[in-house]
Amino acid sequence: MTAAQIATERHIRMAAELYGARDTAKRLLGAGFKERMASFAEVINKVADRKACSSMQAAIEIAKQPGVSDIERVMVLAAVVELVEPSA
């Protein structure tokens, strides 16, 4: 397997996990999904603006912060997916 193939496979797995986070958030939040994602997106955008980075980089930075719970990490990752590709 070439380095490009390995990188592509890694990106595909990462995308699947991100979309999985969004699906999990939808199941957990139900009707409140859009509102809650908007709240997390606001935080992500503020961090991205402050750090002059992408929303994905900001979400990763937020998720890595000490004290962030596992469910908050899922919500942050779900929110960044919604920012990039909003669900119907």
Side-chain angles (χ1 to χ4, degrees):
M1 196 176 260
T2 69
Q5 289 171 318
I6 292 169
T8 299
E9 186 175 314
R10 186 172 151 245
H11 291 132
I12 290 169
R13 276 196 223 121
M14 186 183 307
E17 290 201 26
L18 289 167
Y19 281 93
R22 182 170 68 178
D23 291 343
T24 298
K26 281 182 178 180
R27 282 192 306 276
L28 291 172
L29 299 172
F33 174 75
K34 289 282 188 186
E35 182 179 334
R36 194 72 172 117
M37 291 299 101
S39 296
F40 277 102
E42 188 176 321
V43 173
I44 292 167
N45 285 330
K46 284 181 183 178
V47 171
D49 289 345
R50 190 178 76 240
K51 301 250 180 201
C53 65
S54 72
S55 56
M56 181 62 73
Q57 289 169 318
I60 291 168
E61 184 169 317
I62 292 166
K64 286 182 174 182
Q65 292 298 309
V68 174
S69 70
D70 290 341
I71 194 66
E72 289 169 326
R73 283 185 185 93
V74 169
M75 295 300 161
V76 167
L77 296 176
V80 79
V81 173
E82 273 297 295
L83 278 170
V84 173
E85 187 176 307
S87 57

